[in-house]
C-alpha cells in the first residue's frame, strides 16, 4: 500500500506548492500563524513520503479502526427502488462510527512526530472532537477541545465521551457561543503556544496544508472502494455519491476515481428546509467566492463578505464554506453538486434502517437520499457506490423526538416499492 496517501494518483498533483487548487485554497492567515502553517506543511511534506509513517498509519487503520471497511450491496433497497444497483462503502463500521477517525489518526501521528505535546481543535456537534480525543488517547497526547457553550449543552453525550477519553472540553462563552466562536478561541489558544501545540482541522478546509493533508488521510476510502468494486462486480461503478459538509468524506472517496472518465461523481449538499429558503447549507448553490477561515472557497455570505448562519438537520453538514478542491472540481465540471432536504434525509434514514438493518448518520442519509433518485434515473444494469460516512446512533433521539415512526410496519409496505414506503412514512411522521 505505498499509495496509501494517494500521492501517485495523477489528479492529486494538486494542490500546488502554495496550496492552490486552481484559484481556490491557499493560506490567508496572520504572519505569526503563517510561520506555524509553513512548519506543518514542511513536516507533512516530509512525513508523507516516509515509509515508516505510512506503515504506522496503515497498521493503525487495519488493527485499530478496523479497515478495510466493507463495500456492501444493498439488495433490498435496490429492489425497492427498482433502478441501478446500490452499493454502500461502510465507513459507519469504523471504530468511533464514522470516517473522521481516518484523518484524526493521521493528524495526531503527525503531531507526535513533530514533537508536539498537545492537539487542539474546535468542534460543533462533537464528532470531530470525539475522533481527535480518541486518537490523542491512543497515541498519548493531551487534547483540548473548544466548544460553544450552547453546543456543550446540546451535545451532552459527546461531551461525556471526550471527557472519558481524557480530553479537556473548554466551553466557549463569547459571541453566539457556538462553532464560530469556538474556532476563534481555539486559534487564539493555538497562537499562545504554537511550539507545544498543534491545531487539527476536522475537514478538507482551512489554510494549506490542511485541505491536502486531510484529503490524503481520507483517500484510503476511495482506494479501498475502487478495488472492492472491481473485485466484487468486475468493473468500476457507473456513479459514486457522497455527502458534502466541509467535504472530507467526499474527497476521500472521489480522489481515487477522478481519473476514471466513465465514473460520474456526485456531491450532495444539505438543502435543509429548501433551496429557496435561507434554512440550508447548500454552498455550491448559494455561495460566492471569498476568503473564509484562512482559505479561498465558495461560501454563503452577506453583501459585506461575512459568513451567514447556515442550517441543516445534520450538524456535520452545516458549514457555510466548502473545501477548495471541491470548488475546483465544481468549476471544471468533474463533480456535480446536488442536494437533499432534511425531509429526504429522514426518509432515507428510515428506508435504510427498515430495508437493510443499517441506521445511517443523518449526514450520510443525504447521500443515500440522492442515490435513490439517481438509481431511478440511471435505471437497471447500472451501479452506484454511496459513501456511508457514519452511523446514526448519535441521531436516534433527535429523530424519535421530531420524526417518530414507532408503529409496526407491515412487510407489504416495503414490497410495494420505495415510493410507497415513502408515502407511508410521510403519512405517519407528518
Ligand atoms: C462530520 C461528518 C460529515 C461531514 O464532514 P465532511 O468533511 O463533509 O465529510 C459527514 N458525515 C458524518 C458521519 C460526519 O460525522
Amino acid at each position: 500500500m505505498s499509495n496509501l496517501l494517494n500521492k501517485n494518483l495523477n489528479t492529486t498533483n494538486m494542490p500546488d506548492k502554495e496550496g492552490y487548487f486552481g484559484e481556490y485554497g491557499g493560506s490567508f492567515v496572520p504572519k505569526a500563524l503563517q510561520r506555524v502553517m509553513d512548519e506543518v506543511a514542511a513536516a507533512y511534506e516530509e512525513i508523507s513520503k516516509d515509509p515508516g509513517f505510512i506503515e504506522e498509519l496503515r497498521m493503525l487503520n487495519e488493527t485499530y479502526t478496523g479497515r478495510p471497511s466493507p463495500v456492501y450491496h444493498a439488495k433490498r433497497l435496490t429492489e425497492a427502488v427498482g433502478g441501478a444497483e446500490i452499493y454502500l462503502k461502510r465507513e459507519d463500521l469504523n471504530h468511533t462510527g464514522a470516517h473522521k477517525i481516518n484523518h484524526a489518526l493521521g493528524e495526531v501521528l503527525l503531531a507526535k512526530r513533530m514533537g508536539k505535546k498537545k492537539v487542539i481543535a474546535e468542534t460543533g456537534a462533537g464528532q470531530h472532537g470525539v475522533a481527535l480525543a480518541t486518537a490523542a488517547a491512543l497515541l498519548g497526547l493531551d487534547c483540548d477541545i473548544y466548544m460553544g457553550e450552547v453546543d456543550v449543552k446540546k451535545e451532552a453525550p459527546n461531551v461525556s465521551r471526550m471527557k472519558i477519553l481524557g480530553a479537556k472540553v473548554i466551553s466557549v462563552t463569547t459571541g453566539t457561543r457556538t462553532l464560530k466562536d469556538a474556532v476563534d478561541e481555539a486559534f487564539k489558544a493555538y497562537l499562545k503556544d504554537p511550539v507545544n501545540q498543534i491545531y487539527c482541522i476536522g475537514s478538507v478546509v482551512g489554510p494549506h496544508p490542511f485541505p491536502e493533508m486531510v484529503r490524503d488521510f481520507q483517500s484510503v476510502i476511495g482506494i479501498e472502494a475502487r478495488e472492492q468494486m472491481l473485485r466484487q462486480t468486475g468493473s468500476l461503478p457507473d456513479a459514486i455519491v457522497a455527502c458534502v459538509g466541509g467535504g472530507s468524506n467526499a474527497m476521500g472517496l472521489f480522489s481515487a476515481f477522478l481519473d476514471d472518465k466513465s465514473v460520474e461523481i456526485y456531491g450532495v449538499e444539505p438543502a435543509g428546509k429548501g433551496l429557496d429558503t435561507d434554512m440550508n447549507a447548500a454552498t455550491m448553490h448559494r455561495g460566492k467566492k471569498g476568503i473564509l477561515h484562512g482559505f479561498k472557497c465558495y461560501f454563503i455570505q452577506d453583501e459585506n463578505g461575512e459568513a451567514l448562519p447556515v442550517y441543516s438537520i445534520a450538524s456535520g453538514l452545516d458549514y457555510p464554506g466548502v473545501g477548495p478542491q471541491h470548488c475546483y472540481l465544481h468549476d471544471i465540471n468533474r463533480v456535480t453538486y446536488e442536494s437533499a432536504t432534511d425531509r429526504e434525509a429522514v426518509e432515507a434514514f428510515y428506508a435504510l434502517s427498515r430495508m437493510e438493518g443499517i441506521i445511517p448518520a443523518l449526514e450520510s442519509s443525504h447521500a443515500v437520499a440522492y442515490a435513490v433518485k439517481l438509481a431511478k434515473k440511471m435505471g437497471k444494469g447500472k451501479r452506484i457506490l454511496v459513501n456511508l460516512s457514519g452511523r446514526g446512533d448519535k441521531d436516534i433521539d433527535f429523530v424519535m423526538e421530531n420524526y417518530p415512526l414507532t408503529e409496526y410496519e407491515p412487510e407489504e409496505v416495503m414490497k410495494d416499492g420505495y415510493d410507497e414506503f415513502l408515502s407511508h412514512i410521510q403519512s405517519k411522521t407528518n
Side-chain angles (χ1 to χ4, degrees):
M1 285 287 268
S2 60
N3 64 348
L4 176 77
L5 297 178
N6 209 7
K7 286 301 185 195
N8 51 8
L9 297 177
N10 64 35
T11 345
T12 51
N13 283 337
M14 291 201 143
D16 66 15
K17 281 267 175 263
E18 270 76 51
Y20 282 93
F21 302 84
E23 64 178 293
Y24 305 101
S27 182
F28 299 83
V29 296
K31 259 217 179 83
L33 196 53
Q34 189 56 53
R35 270 201 303 278
V36 179
M37 286 300 149
D38 290 345
E39 257 176 52
V40 177
Y44 177 62
E45 175 70 19
E46 201 186 308
I47 270 165
S48 63
K49 296 187 188 113
D50 173 358
F53 178 85
I54 292 171
E55 178 55 19
E56 200 175 353
L57 184 56
R58 193 199 64 78
M59 270 302 277
L60 286 180
N61 280 341
E62 182 183 315
T63 61
Y64 186 73
T65 304
R67 306 206 68 91
S69 64
V71 160
Y72 166 72
H73 185 191
K75 289 201 186 117
R76 284 193 81 209
L77 177 65
T78 296
E79 202 173 307
V81 173
E85 302 292 323
I86 298 172
Y87 290 77
L88 307 173
K89 177 63 172 164
R90 300 288 311 274
E91 291 299 296
D92 60 312
L93 293 177
N94 294 342
H95 175 49
T96 69
H99 70 287
K100 284 193 175 75
I101 192 69
N102 300 334
H103 64 242
L105 286 177
E107 287 178 329
V108 179
L109 263 186
L110 173 75
K112 205 168 168 181
R113 289 256 176 154
M114 289 178 77
K116 306 291 181 189
K117 304 275 178 297
K118 187 191 274 183
V119 292
I120 63 177
E122 85 294 338
T123 195
Q127 295 300 107
H128 175 52
V130 169
L132 200 64
T134 301
L138 172 71
L139 296 164
L141 266 71
D142 290 341
C143 178
D144 283 0
I145 300 294
Y146 292 80
M147 197 169 180
E149 192 185 29
V150 172
D151 295 324
V152 169
K153 293 216 174 90
K154 230 164 74 183
E155 310 289 345
N158 274 343
V159 173
S160 297
R161 277 186 194 105
M162 286 184 270
K163 287 183 176 167
I164 289 169
L165 289 161
K168 193 161 115 198
V169 179
I170 295 132
S171 177
V172 175
T173 54
T174 50
T176 55
R177 295 173 292 138
T178 56
L179 182 64
K180 185 186 166 301
D181 311 288
V183 175
D184 293 343
E185 287 306 308
F187 264 106
K188 260 190 233 163
Y190 186 26
L191 281 177
K192 273 186 200 147
D193 182 8
V195 176
N196 291 304
Q197 311 184 100
I198 185 169
Y199 194 108
C200 293
I201 294 178
S203 188
V204 286
V205 299
H208 179 62
F210 283 94
E212 173 186 9
M213 197 163 84
V214 172
R215 174 204 65 198
D216 292 351
F217 292 145
Q218 289 294 349
S219 66
V220 66
I221 299 175
I223 293 169
E224 284 176 6
R226 196 173 179 283
E227 284 175 12
Q228 288 164 316
M229 286 302 286
L230 283 171
R231 202 171 339 111
Q232 283 182 36
T233 72
S235 63
L236 292 174
D238 298 287
I240 59 175
V241 181
C243 65
V244 178
S248 67
N249 86 88
M251 271 325 305
L253 179 68
F254 297 173
S255 56
F257 294 91
L258 290 174
D259 293 338
D260 298 315
K261 297 267 154 38
S262 67
V263 180
E264 294 175 18
I265 306 183
Y266 297 91
V268 185
E269 297 192 314
K273 301 210 184 292
L275 287 180
D276 50 353
T277 71
D278 2 308
M279 295 290 280
N280 61 55
T283 306
M284 294 300 187
H285 188 82
R286 271 175 74 198
K288 293 198 200 71
K289 294 175 191 178
I291 310 291
L292 174 74
H293 299 151
F295 70 109
K296 184 172 178 186
C297 65
Y298 288 104
F299 72 97
I300 298 173
Q301 52 186 281
D302 64 17
E303 317 76 62
N304 306 317
E306 294 286 327
L308 285 168
V310 288
Y311 161 84
S312 166
I313 191 172
S315 47
L317 300 181
D318 65 357
Y319 184 64
V322 63
Q325 194 165 9
H326 284 290
C327 300
Y328 174 75
L329 292 168
H330 167 270
D331 287 7
I332 65 165
N333 287 316
R334 178 62 186 103
V335 177
T336 307
Y337 292 86
E338 299 284 352
S339 65
T341 63
D342 285 359
R343 187 77 220 182
E344 289 168 328
V346 170
E347 288 163 1
F349 174 94
Y350 274 123
L352 205 63
S353 299
R354 300 277 166 123
M355 292 177 188
E356 299 288 353
I358 297 171
I359 303 177
L362 281 172
E363 289 82 359
S364 323
S365 302
H366 285 73
V368 175
Y370 181 73
V372 163
K373 279 191 201 167
L374 188 63
K376 285 184 198 162
K377 203 170 96 187
M378 292 183 98
K380 286 197 200 309
K382 300 282 185 185
R383 293 192 190 95
I384 301 173
L385 172 66
V386 184
N387 199 20
L388 205 70
S389 55
R391 64 178 178 229
D393 301 38
K394 65 186 179 56
D395 300 313
I396 54 179
D397 291 339
F398 174 86
V399 170
M400 286 306 265
E401 242 166 66
N402 296 280
Y403 303 89
L405 180 63
T406 50
E407 281 170 58
Y408 171 72
E409 267 73 46
E411 188 59 16
E412 270 79 304
V413 176
M414 257 96 61
K415 289 218 187 77
D416 287 344
Y418 194 82
D419 292 335
E420 283 66 24
F421 176 73
L422 286 198
S423 51
H424 171 77
I425 65 174
Q426 278 159 3
S427 71
K428 290 274 174 76
T429 60
N430 267 337

